[in-house]
Amino acid sequence: GNFATVAEFATRIRTFQTQAIRIYGSFRRAFKTLSKSEDLSIELAALAPISPAEFTQRLPFRSIHAIPQERLDDLGYISAERVKLQIRERQRMASALREVAGWLEANPSQGLQVYARHSGRSFQRLQAELRMYSNLELEETLFGSPDPSDIRREAEHIAPRDEALARIEETQEWGMQNLAAYLTEPYMDVYIATSMRERADFISVNAFVETLFAHERIAPLHLRYFNPTLSWVADRVAKGLVEALMLRRARLTIYMAQKQDTFGKDSEASVALGQGKPVIVYVPRLFDAEQGIHSESLYQRSEAELRQRLAELGDVPEEELDHQGLVKRLLQRQLQALPGADLARLVDRHWADFDLYGSLRDLHLEDREQERTLRKEVGDYLDWLTLRASNSALMEPSPRVATALIDLLVEGAIFFERRAKTFKEVHPLALQVILSSGVLNGILVVRSVEVCAQVMYELLTHSLQTELQVDADNYRLLEKRTRSTLRVISRHQLLTNAFWTQFFG
């Protein structure tokens, strides 16, 4: 016979099931189809290896205009509008200050209270707005015994510069040129699904994309990829059509998990899965190889292991502290032990992925004045860190700022570890039915650019390593490196019979 032992027969059955679950979604349907086929290679063509030469023989992808990091958010529909709104607000405020100065010059014996009654203006509102754009010393001067010349000087300081709008228009012109290049590319291999609202989003996405496609495994493939941080079209309908077309053309989608995900990004991932295409979900982590900081690894450890690690550091946590609390405590201890220069490097590497600016809103102290002061100190440090010249040395944060930054980094790390677990186990996107075949298509969760590059290469060349896992409820096909569920077949007989009887009916 064809099988010398029962074990060999079982191995062949598992091989059949592994191939069948990828293409058919039902072992019965796979057996019926394959048993009647005169050429199995035709039926199994979807799993046939693809030579890297299909990609490497292309010309390099050089049709996209690079945009400086500090100008990326000019292409954001929300952030660009926010800049324009701020410009209008500054124009209005500068005009109001000039009017105040003119009135005081014409009425030197009168004070601001008289002007307030005369003009009907609310100085309380002007005072609140000045806190956004002015310094407190001048604000106190203005609302104490103001000098008209000081007010005029502040009006000129606050007034927006024409070059701000010109800069936005120039950047958007580059974005439209990039859009034209994307629309006329002969190939489109990868779609980047992301949410872009804040400056951090643009910098995080662009840094990830540049690092990924420069990876030694990926760069030689000359892949075409749609990077939404470099594209611009003003009309909302046109933007939706562009993204739908790019999503349709791309071989696979990379979904970037961020602090705030959107309906649009979730829909893009769902559509890609429904088309039968792979979706890789990238979830950031707190990581520094030199300092041994690895939030993903810690989150996978047992409570006993975490308590042992803390004990080695001289910390005996409370018995009621749960797994998440233990991970948080251990990360805090690791970060508190870092020299200031290493902490600065860690913040510099993670601020955009972790949206530390946005996280400042969650920084709360019992004393509101101390809270406001600390937020300003942390914000000022982040401004220096993120806006400095690229070749300048990192400045160590003060002890107060360092403590706050550690808290923000740890909270961000815990947030993303929970997100990664959710994507792997319970997220609605974790499994989607491929509309053309009825097969359950799963997402692949990666935590680093390195793993993302390896998984993407294997997906494109059909060399993904998988493992069939069988439990009481399902047959699951797992990707070995990430342990993500790639395909599923339910063992629920009534559901399975009803599904395949009615799905194509």
Side-chain angles (χ1 to χ4, degrees), residues 247 253 255 263-277 279 428-429 431-433 435 441 443:
L247 196 62
T253 292
Y255 175 109
F263 173 74
K265 183 171 65 174
D266 289 352
S267 297
E268 289 169 348
S270 183
V271 167
L273 289 169
Q275 291 177 359
K277 297 176 180 179
V279 172
L429 289 179
L431 291 167
Q432 297 282 306
V433 172
L435 298 179
N441 191 13
I443 59 177

Side-chain angles (χ1 to χ4, degrees), residues 23-24 33-34 37 39-46:
I23 302 174
Y24 299 101
T33 303
L34 296 176
S37 174
D39 187 349
L40 289 179
S41 64
I42 296 176
E43 292 294 333
L44 300 177

Side-chain angles (χ1 to χ4, degrees), residues 21-197:
I21 197 173
R22 291 284 295 274
I23 302 174
Y24 299 101
S26 162
F27 296 139
R28 180 182 301 177
R29 183 162 165 246
F31 180 79
K32 286 183 177 180
T33 303
L34 296 176
S35 63
K36 295 177 182 177
S37 174
E38 296 181 359
D39 187 349
L40 289 179
S41 64
I42 296 176
E43 292 294 333
L44 300 177
L47 302 179
I50 295 176
S51 171
E54 179 176 324
F55 304 100
T56 58
Q57 291 176 0
R58 300 173 178 175
L59 292 174
F61 184 37
R62 294 174 179 163
S63 56
I64 302 302
H65 188 295
I67 295 176
Q69 174 176 291
E70 64 273 12
R71 296 177 65 166
L72 285 172
D73 55 343
D74 289 349
L75 299 180
Y77 294 88
I78 294 177
S79 55
E81 280 303 314
R82 186 181 294 130
V83 171
K84 293 177 181 177
L85 176 61
Q86 186 185 103
I87 287 173
R88 290 194 295 269
E89 289 176 344
R90 283 177 174 268
Q91 288 171 334
R92 178 179 54 77
M93 190 182 307
S95 177
L97 288 175
R98 292 187 187 108
E99 182 179 323
V100 171
W103 191 89
L104 290 174
E105 288 168 344
N107 301 274
S109 62
Q110 304 295 326
L112 288 176
Q113 294 298 326
V114 177
Y115 172 77
R117 291 194 298 271
H118 172 76
S119 66
R121 289 188 178 278
S122 169
F123 280 97
Q124 288 76 16
R125 180 176 179 181
L126 185 60
Q127 184 177 18
E129 290 172 334
L130 273 172
R131 291 195 183 100
M132 299 172 61
Y133 306 112
S134 180
N135 59 72
L136 293 176
E137 182 179 354
L138 183 58
E139 180 189 343
E140 291 167 358
T141 301
L142 174 60
F143 291 95
S145 302
D147 184 327
S149 61
D150 287 339
I151 298 176
R152 286 196 181 279
R153 193 177 302 114
E154 186 63 10
E156 295 309 311
H157 170 74
I158 288 175
R161 305 294 181 260
D162 292 339
E163 56 264 27
L165 280 176
R167 186 206 69 214
I168 292 175
E169 290 172 357
E170 182 184 41
T171 310
Q172 291 176 350
E173 177 60 32
W174 292 343
M176 286 189 282
Q177 292 174 14
N178 287 340
L179 174 63
Y182 285 128
L183 291 174
T184 54
E185 274 294 331
Y187 313 101
M188 188 53 60
D189 302 298
V190 183
Y191 183 91
I192 312 296
T194 182
S195 305
M196 295 179 297
R197 294 179 177 273

Side-chain angles (χ1 to χ4, degrees), residues 274-306:
Q275 291 177 359
K277 297 176 180 179
V279 172
I280 299 173
V281 174
Y282 168 69
V283 185
R285 60 182 179 172
L286 188 62
F287 179 79
D288 189 316
E290 295 178 23
Q291 301 298 330
I293 295 170
H294 196 322
S295 63
E296 179 188 11
S297 176
L298 286 182
Y299 211 78
Q300 293 171 350
R301 293 180 180 272
S302 67
E303 288 194 19
E305 291 174 309
L306 294 170

